[in-house]
C-alpha cells in the first residue's frame, strides 16, 4: 500500500523539529530514512505510527487519510530497536497478541502464529520467553509480531543496531527477504548508510528535519546532490579538497588537476574524490607522501598527505607493498570528481 | 480510551485522599492556630450561658458589681412559666388570680411582688412561702442557655444591665471556640518556647551528626569487610530500622532502666542502681540521641552502602594500582562520591527529625522535667495528650503551624534535588 | 577487594559499637522465655509464664490479645492494600500518561513525599471527629493509607519508569488501548514493585504507634503497639519478661519478613526513599 506524507510538521514545545516535509513510499517498496542522530527520522517514524501527533500536514495510507487516526486504529507494524518483546509472554503469546486484542478465536490465532513463525523461521522456539532467546531470534519474533496483523506499512526502527556484526549481516538479508516475500510497504529508519544502501529500494537522506535527497542507493552514491550527501554515503568516506576553478582546477596547495567535462563553475569550489577513484591504477597527477596505512584484509586504506597540504584517501587491493613515508604520484579516475559550491550544493 | 481520561481516573482517588488528609489538614492547622479551641470549648461551636460558679470570676473582667447583681436577679415578671410552677407548688386559685390581674407585669424588687402576693384574694399567707413563690418569677440569666448571640444580647437588654458591660459579658458567656491571636502572643511570651526551640535545635544537630558520621562509618567499613562478616554487621544494624518503635524503645528501656542491663553490670562494681536513661538531663539526651541515632545510622548505612556499590570497581582498582592506601581511597575516591547521598540524607533527616517525636515520646516523654521536650512533642502534649486534661487544640495547632511552615519551606527546597527537566519532559506516547 | 591484614581493626571497632544492640537482641529473646532473676544476667529456668497474656487477661479492662492482634492485622493489611492499589494507578498516571498539569502533580508529589506528615496530626484529629471516624479502625486506616500514599506513589512511579517505553509503544501499535496496555503489558513488569510496596506498607502499618495512640485511643480499637505501650505504662513493677514476651509476639511478622526479604528490603530502602 502506498504511503504519502504531505506537509508534515512536528513541533516539541517551541522547537520545530520538522517543517513541511513531503514523502511518498510506493506500494511494496522498502524505503530508508537515513540520517545522523537528531535529524528527525525517528520523529517521522513516530508520526507515521501514530505515537506522536502531527502538528501540521496529512498522512495517507493508500487513499485513506489517517492523520487523526489513533495508533491503535492505524494498521502499522513496528519493529523497535530493542524489539520491545513482552517479557512475561512466550514467543507465541507475543506474536499472537495483536490478534488477541482483535478478539480473534484462539485456534485461528494459533494458525496465524504458526504461519508467521514459519515465515521468520522460529517455529521451534514458540514456547520460549524472550529472555531465553538470542538477539537474532528476538528480532525474528518482533518481526513476526509486527507482521501478523498484515499491516499496511511495516516500520523498522534501527532493527539491527543491537546485534553483533555477524548476525547483523544475516538479519539484513533476512529482513529484505521477508519484505520481498510479503510485498509489504516498509520504512527502515537507520543511521547506518550500509544498512540503508544494502536493504532498501530508495533512500531518503535527512538532515535537520529535511529530506536533502531521495534517490536509489546507486544514484545517491554516484550522484549526490550536495556535499553533505556525498560525505554521508561511502565507507571509507569521500575526501574533500578545496580548489579554485578557472582554466583548470587549482588545489589549495598549488597542484592542478584537469577540469572534468561538464563542470561549468568558476571560482572557489570543493572537490570530492572517493577513495576508490584515487590510486596508482588511475595514472598520475597528484603528488604526496603516504602518512598512514590501515590494512583491512582484502584491501587497505592509504592516507596520502599532498605536497603543500591537504589529505586524500585511497583504497587499494591488499598486497601492495606501500609503507608510510613513501612518496607517491597517483591519479584520479577520469569523470569521477564531484564538485560542490561554497554553499555545499553540487555543481 | 485517551490517556487524559485514564490519567484522571487513575489519579483522582489519590488526589482526593491527599486533599482530605494533606491539604485540608494544612489549611485547618492554620485555621485552628487562630482559635482557642480546646476540650472545654469543643470543636463544633457553642451557645451562650453563664452559670453560678462563673459569677465569681466576673469581677476580674472589670464588670461592675451592679451588673453582677443584675445578672443574678434582674427583677420579677409574671410569666406563664412562673404561673405554672406556682400552680404546682402552691395553689391553683392563686395562680389563676395572678394571671388574670398581673400577667406580663414586671416588678423592680422582690418586696413589690411579695406585697402583691399578700394582697391577693387568695393570698399566700406565710412569709417564707411568699418569698419562695416570688422567686419563681425572678428574671435571671444565670444557667439559662441562649442559642445565638442576638438572643443573649436581647436578654441582656431586658435585664437592664448597663450597656457598657454587654460586649464583655457576651464574650464571657460564649461556651464555643472563638477567633484569637492569643496563641501566638502566648508563644512569644512563654519562656518554654525558647527552651523547646533550643532543645529541638540541639536534638536535630546532634542526632543528624551522629546519623551521618556513623552511617558513613558503617557503610564504608562493611564495604571493606569480607562478604559474610559484612552481611552480619549489616543485618545487626538494619534491624533497628524495621523493628516496631515500641519494641525498639522497650529494648533500650531494659538496657538503661534501674533494674536493667547497665544498672546490673554497674552493680557488680558497687555502683548503686539508678535509671541510666532518666537520671539527669544529660543521661536523657544521651539516650535520645543514641536511640534516634541508631535508627538514623541504619538508614544512612543502607543509603550510603548502595551509593558506594554504585562506584565503578574499575575506579577503585585503578586507585589501588596507583598505590593509594585504604585511607586515601576513602578520602579521595569514596567520600567525593558520597556528596549527593549525604546532602540528600541531611535535608531529608533534618525534616523528619524536626517533626518526629515518636521515639522521644516512648523513651523519655520529654523528661526528666521538660528537659528533652522538643517542639513537635510540645505540640503533641499541648493538643493531644496533657496531664491537665484540657487539650488545647488551638494552642497546639499554633505550635504545629511553625513546623508546617518549616516543613513546606524545606520540602520545596528538597525539590531541587530532583531533575526538573525530567519533571517537565512529556510522556513519549502522545495520546 | 583484596583482603587487608589490618582488617581486624575495623572488625573490633564495629563490634564494640554493635555490642549494645546485640545484647539487646539476645536478651530480648532470652528474657521472654526465661524466668527473670533480678540482679543477675544469667537466665534462670525456661519459664513460659511471660506468655500468659496469650491465654488470659493480664489485668482487668484490657482487651484480649487476639482481638488486638486481629485489629493490628486488619489495620496493617487494609492499609497496605489501599496504599498499593492507589499507588499502582496513580504511579502509572504520573509516570506515563500525557495529561494536563502533570509537572505540577509530580512536583506536588515530591513535596508531599518530603513533607513531615506527623505535624498535621492535630488537624487530622479534629477532622476525624468532624467525620465521626474518631476512634474507629476505618479512621486510622484511611489516615495511615493517605499519609503513606506519597511514598507509595513515588516507589511505584520509580518502578514504572524502568519499564521500557517501547513495550508500551509496541502494545499501542498492536492495537491495545492504553488501559489494556497498562493492565496486560506494563503491570506484569512491575510485580516486584507491587510486592515490595505491599510488604513495606504492611510493615509500616504493623509498626505504627502514634496514629492509633492519638486517633483511636479506645480499647476496642487497640492495636499491638498501643496495647504494648499501655501494658508498659500501667505496670509499675517493670515486668520486663512480660513486656519482652509481648514484644516477641508483636514482632513475629516483622522478623519473618526481615529474614525472608532482608536483601530486597535493603535495596528498596537504599533507593533514596523514605521509610
Amino acid at each position: 500500500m502506498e504511503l504519502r506524507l504531505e506537509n508534515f510538521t512536528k513541533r516539541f514545545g517551541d522547537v520545530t523539529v520538522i517543517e513541511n516535509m513531503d514523502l511518498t513510499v510506493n506500494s511494496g517498496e522498502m524505503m530508508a530514512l537515513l540520517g545522523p542522530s537528531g535529524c528527525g527520522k525517528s520523529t517521522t517514524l513516530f508520526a507515521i505510527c501514530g505515537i506522536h501527533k502531527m502538528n501540521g500536514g496529512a498522512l495517507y495510507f493508500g487513499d485513506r487519510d489517517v492523520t487523526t487516526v489513533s495508533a491503535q486504529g492505524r494498521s502499522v507494524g513496528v519493529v523497535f530497536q530493542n524489539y520491545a518483546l513482552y517479557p512475561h509472554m512466550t514467543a507465541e503469546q507475543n506474536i499472537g497478541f495483536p490478534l488477541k486484542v482483535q478478539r480473534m478465536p484462539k485456534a485461528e490465532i494459533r494458525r496465524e502464529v504458526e504461519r508467521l513463525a514459519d515465515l521468520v523461521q522460529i517455529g521451534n522456539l514458540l514456547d520460549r520467553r524472550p529472555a531465553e532467546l538470542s538477539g537474532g531470534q528476538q528480532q525474528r519474533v518482533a518481526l513476526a509480531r509486527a507482521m501478523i496483523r498484515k499491516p499496511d506499512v511495516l516500520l523498522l526502527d534501527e532493527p539491527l543496531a543491537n546485534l553483533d556484526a555477524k548476525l547483523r549481516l544475516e538479519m539484513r538479508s533476512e529482513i529484505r527477504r521477508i519484505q520481498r516475500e510479503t510485498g509489504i510497504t516498509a520504512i527502515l529508519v537507520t543511521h547506518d548508510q550500509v544498512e540503508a544502501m544494502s536493504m532498501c529500494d530508495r533512500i531518503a537522506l535527512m538532515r535537520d528535519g529535511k529530506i536533502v535527497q531521495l534517490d536509489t542507493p546507486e544514484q545517491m552514491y554516484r550522484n549526490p546532490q550536495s556535499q553533505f550527501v556525498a560525505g554521508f554515503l561511502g565507507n571509507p568516506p569521500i575526501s574533500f579538497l578545496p580548489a579554485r576553478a578557472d582554466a583548470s582546477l587549482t588545489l589549495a596547495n598549488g597542484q592542478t588537476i584537469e577540469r572534468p567535462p561538464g563542470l561549468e563553475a568558476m571560482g572557489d569550489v570543493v572537490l570530492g574524490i572517493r577513495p576508490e577513484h584515487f590510486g596508482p591504477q588511475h595514472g598520475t597527477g597528484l603528488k604526496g607522501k603516504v602518512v598512514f596505512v590501515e590494512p583491512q584484509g582484502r584491501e587497505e586504506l592509504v592516507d596520502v598527505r599532498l605536497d603543500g597540504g591537504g589529505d586524500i584517501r585511497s583504497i587499494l587491493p591488499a598486497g601492495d607493498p606501500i609503507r608510510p613515508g613513501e612518496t607517491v604520484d597517483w591519479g584520479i579516475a577520469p569523470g569521477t570528481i564531484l564538485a560542490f559550491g561554497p554553499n555545499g550544493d553540487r555543481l | 480510551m485517551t490517556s487524559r481520561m485514564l490519567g484522571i481516573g487513575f489519579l483522582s482517588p489519590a488526589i482526593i485522599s491527599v486533599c482530605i488528609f494533606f491539604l485540608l489538614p494544612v489549611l485547618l492547622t492554620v485555621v485552628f492556630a487562630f482559635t482557642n479551641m480546646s476540650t472545654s470549648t469543643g470543636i463544633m461551636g457553642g451557645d451562650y450561658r453563664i452559670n453560678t460558679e462563673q459569677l465569681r470570676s466576673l469581677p476580674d473582667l472589670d464588670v461592675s458589681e451592679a451588673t453582677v447583681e443584675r445578672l443574678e436577679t434582674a427583677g420579677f415578671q409574671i410569666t406563664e412559666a412562673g404561673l405554672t410552677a406556682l400552680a404546682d407548688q402552691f395553689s391553683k386559685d392563686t395562680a389563676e388570680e395572678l394571671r388574670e390581674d398581673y400577667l406580663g407585669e414586671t416588678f423592680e424588687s422582690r418586696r413589690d411582688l411579695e406585697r402583691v402576693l399578700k394582697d391577693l384574694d387568695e393570698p399566700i399567707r406565710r412569709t417564707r412561702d411568699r418569698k419562695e413563690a416570688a422567686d419563681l418569677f425572678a428574671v435571671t440569666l444565670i444557667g439559662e442557655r441562649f442559642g445565638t448571640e442576638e438572643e443573649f444580647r436581647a436578654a441582656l437588654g431586658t435585664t437592664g444591665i448597663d450597656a457598657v458591660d454587654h460586649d464583655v459579658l457576651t464574650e464571657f458567656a460564649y461556651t464555643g471556640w472563638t477567633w484569637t491571636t492569643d496563641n501566638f502572643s502566648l508563644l512569644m511570651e512563654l519562656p518554654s518556647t525558647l527552651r523547646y526551640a533550643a532543645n529541638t535545635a540541639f536534638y536535630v544537630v546532634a542526632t543528624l551528626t551522629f546519623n551521618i558520621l556513623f552511617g558513613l562509618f558503617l557503610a564504608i567499613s562493611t564495604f571493606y569487610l569480607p562478604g559474610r562478616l559484612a552481611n552480619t554487621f549489616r543485618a545487626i544494624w538494619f534491624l533497628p530500622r524495621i523493628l516496631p518503635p515500641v519494641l525498639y524503645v522497650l529494648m533500650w528501656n531494659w538496657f538503661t532502666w534501674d533494674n536493667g542491663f547497665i544498672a546490673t553490670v554497674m552493680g557488680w562494681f558497687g555502683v548503686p542502681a539508678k535509671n541510666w536513661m532518666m537520671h539527669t538531663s544529660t543521661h536523657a539526651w544521651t539516650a535520645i540521641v543514641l536511640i534516634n541515632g541508631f535508627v538514623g545510622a541504619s538508614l544512612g548505612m543502607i543509603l550510603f552502602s548502595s551509593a558506594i556499590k554504585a562506584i565503578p570497581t574499575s575506579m577503585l582498582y585503578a586507585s589501588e594500582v596507583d598505590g593509594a592506601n585504604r585511607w586515601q581511597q576513602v578520602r579521595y575516591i569514596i567520600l567525593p562520591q558520597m556528596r549527593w547521598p549525604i546532602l540528600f540524607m541531611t535535608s531529608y533527616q533534618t525534616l523528619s527529625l524536626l517533626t518526629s517525636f515518636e521515639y522521644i515520646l516512648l523513651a523519655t516523654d520529654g523528661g526528666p522535667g521538660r528537659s528533652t521536650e522538643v517542639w513537635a512533642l510540645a505540640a503533641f502534649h499541648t493538643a493531644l495528650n496533657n496531664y491537665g486534661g484540657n487539650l488545647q487544640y488551638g494552642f497546639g495547632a499554633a505550635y504545629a503551624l511553625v513546623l508546617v511552615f518549616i516543613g513546606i519551606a524545606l520540602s520545596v527546597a528538597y525539590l531541587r534535588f530532583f531533575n526538573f527537566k525530567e519533571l517537565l519532559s512529556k510522556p513519549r506516547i502522545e495520546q | 577487594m583484596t583482603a587487608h591484614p589490618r582488617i581486624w581493626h575495623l572488625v573490633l571497632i564495629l563490634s564494640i559499637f554493635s555490642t549494645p544492640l546485640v545484647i539487646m537482641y539476645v536478651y530480648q529473646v532470652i528474657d521472654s522465655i526465661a524466668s527473670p532473676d533480678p540482679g543477675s544476667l544469667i537466665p534462670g529456668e525456661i519459664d513460659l509464664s511471660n506468655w500468659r497474656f496469650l491465654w488470659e487477661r493480664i489485668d482487668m479492662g484490657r482487651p484480649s490479645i487476639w482481638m488486638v492482634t486481629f485489629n493490628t492485622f486488619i489495620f496493617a493489611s487494609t492499609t497496605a492494600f489501599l496504599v498499593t492499589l492507589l499507588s499502582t494507578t496513580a504511579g502509572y498516571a504520573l509516570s506515563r500518561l500525557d495529561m494536563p498539569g502533570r509537572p505540577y502533580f509530580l512536583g506536588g508529589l515530591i513535596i508531599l513525599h518530603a513533607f513531615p506528615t506527623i505535624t498535621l496530626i492535630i488537624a487530622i484529629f479534629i477532622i476525624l471527629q468532624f467525620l465521626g471516624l474518631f476512634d474507629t479502625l476505618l479512621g486510622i486506616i484511611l489516615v495511615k493509607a493517605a499519609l503513606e500514599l506519597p511514598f507509595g506513589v513515588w516507589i511505584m512511579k520509580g518502578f514504572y519508569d524502568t519499564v521500557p517505553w517501547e513495550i508500551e509503544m509496541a502494545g499501542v501499535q498492536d492495537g491495545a488501548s492504553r488501559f489494556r496496555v497498562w493492565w496486560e503489558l506494563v503491570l506484569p513488569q512491575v510485580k516486584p514493585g507491587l510486592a515490595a510496596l505491599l510488604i513495606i506498607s504492611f510493615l509500616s502499618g504493623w509498626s505504627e504507634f502514634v496514629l492509633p495512640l492519638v486517633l483511636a485511643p479506645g480499647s476496642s480499637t487497640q492495636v499491638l503497639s498501643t496495647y504494648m505501650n499501655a501494658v508498659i505504662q500501667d505496670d509499675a513493677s517493670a515486668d520486663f519478661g512480660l513486656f519482652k514476651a509481648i514484644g516477641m509476639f508483636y514482632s513475629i511478622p516483622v522478623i519473618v519478613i526481615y529474614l525472608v526479604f532482608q536483601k530486597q528490603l535493603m535495596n528498596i530502602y537504599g533507593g533514596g526513599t523514605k521509610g
Side-chain angles (χ1 to χ4, degrees), chain A residues 224 249 260 263 265 269-272 336-341 344-347:
Chain A
L249 297 170
L263 180 69
V269 294
V270 175
L271 304 179
T336 59
I337 294 181
L338 305 169
F340 304 96
D345 284 351
R346 178 80 185 278
L347 297 170

Side-chain angles (χ1 to χ4, degrees), chain B residues 28 32 37 43 393-394, chain C residues 121-131 215:
Chain B
L28 287 184
F32 294 154
M37 263 190 212
I43 55 174
Y393 309 132
Chain C
I121 193 159
I122 297 169
I124 290 176
F125 171 81
I126 295 176
I127 290 176
L128 282 194
Q129 304 231 356
F130 270 122
L131 293 177
L215 303 178

Side-chain angles (χ1 to χ4, degrees), chain B residues 97-382:
Chain B
E97 192 187 350
L98 206 54
R99 174 177 291 125
E100 271 166 33
D101 297 349
Y102 293 98
L103 183 61
E105 218 159 293
T106 56
F107 302 89
E108 269 296 300
S109 67
R110 179 183 283 122
R111 205 145 26 99
D112 297 342
L113 178 57
E114 279 174 27
R115 190 173 305 134
V116 169
L117 291 172
K118 190 175 155 196
D119 296 348
L120 286 170
D121 292 344
E122 295 282 339
I124 294 170
R125 290 181 212 285
R126 286 167 59 190
T127 321
R128 235 182 76 205
D129 285 354
R130 270 206 300 279
K131 203 172 176 181
E132 257 177 52
D135 272 344
L136 293 175
F137 297 94
V139 175
T140 176
L141 292 183
I142 300 304
E144 201 151 337
R145 183 190 294 263
F146 298 90
T148 65
E149 189 179 335
E150 286 73 40
E151 288 175 35
F152 183 72
R153 279 182 185 273
L156 285 181
T158 59
T159 54
I161 288 173
D162 194 352
V164 291
D165 286 335
H166 282 198
D167 287 345
V168 179
L169 284 175
T170 309
E171 196 180 317
F172 179 77
Y174 186 57
T175 60
W177 52 271
T178 52
W179 301 107
T180 173
T181 53
D182 288 354
N183 295 329
F184 296 98
S185 32
L186 197 56
L187 267 187
M188 298 301 242
E189 283 164 21
L190 284 179
S192 55
T193 308
L194 208 60
R195 171 102 187 258
Y196 298 157
N199 279 350
T200 311
F202 174 76
Y203 164 68
V204 171
V205 170
T207 313
L208 189 64
T209 313
F210 183 91
N211 285 353
I212 293 197
L213 290 183
F214 196 59
L216 264 180
F217 171 71
L218 282 175
I220 294 174
S221 55
T222 51
F223 174 71
Y224 281 115
L225 291 184
R228 286 185 75 129
L229 207 54
N231 283 339
T232 310
F233 281 117
R234 283 203 196 107
I236 291 173
W237 285 94
F238 182 52
L239 216 42
R241 173 116 212 98
I242 65 163
L243 278 183
V246 182
L247 175 61
Y248 173 68
V249 174
L250 170 73
M251 298 197 308
W252 278 89
N253 287 348
W254 168 80
F255 200 70
T256 53
W257 278 5
D258 34 19
N259 53 351
F261 181 81
I262 299 182
T264 307
V265 173
M266 296 310 265
W268 298 340
F269 302 101
V271 180
K274 61 180 175 191
N275 188 326
W276 289 82
M277 186 188 281
M278 302 292 277
H279 192 61
T280 66
S281 62
T282 315
H283 285 85
W285 273 121
T286 312
I288 294 289
V289 170
L290 286 179
I291 289 174
N292 281 280
F294 276 29
V295 175
S298 179
L299 176 68
M301 172 190 76
I302 296 163
L303 212 68
F304 298 144
S305 283
S306 62
I308 293 179
K309 250 188 246 158
I311 299 176
T313 38
S314 58
M315 232 166 126
L316 295 170
Y317 285 129
S319 70
E320 279 187 5
V321 172
D322 292 344
N325 62 28
R326 274 290 145 77
W327 173 240
Q328 287 167 325
Q329 201 175 50
V330 169
R331 171 73 187 78
Y332 295 107
I333 310 285
I334 295 181
L335 282 183
Q337 304 276 340
M338 294 286 107
R339 226 179 34 224
W340 277 104
I342 290 175
L343 257 176
F344 174 87
M345 176 90 178
T346 309
S347 70
Y348 180 75
Q349 287 266 300
T350 308
L351 209 46
S352 70
L353 284 174
L354 262 179
T355 54
S356 68
F357 54 85
E358 198 171 21
Y359 290 110
I360 305 184
L361 172 69
L362 284 165
T364 66
D365 197 16
R370 285 260 175 258
S371 60
T372 55
E373 182 97 345
V374 294
W375 195 275
L377 191 58
F380 171 79
H381 278 148
T382 309

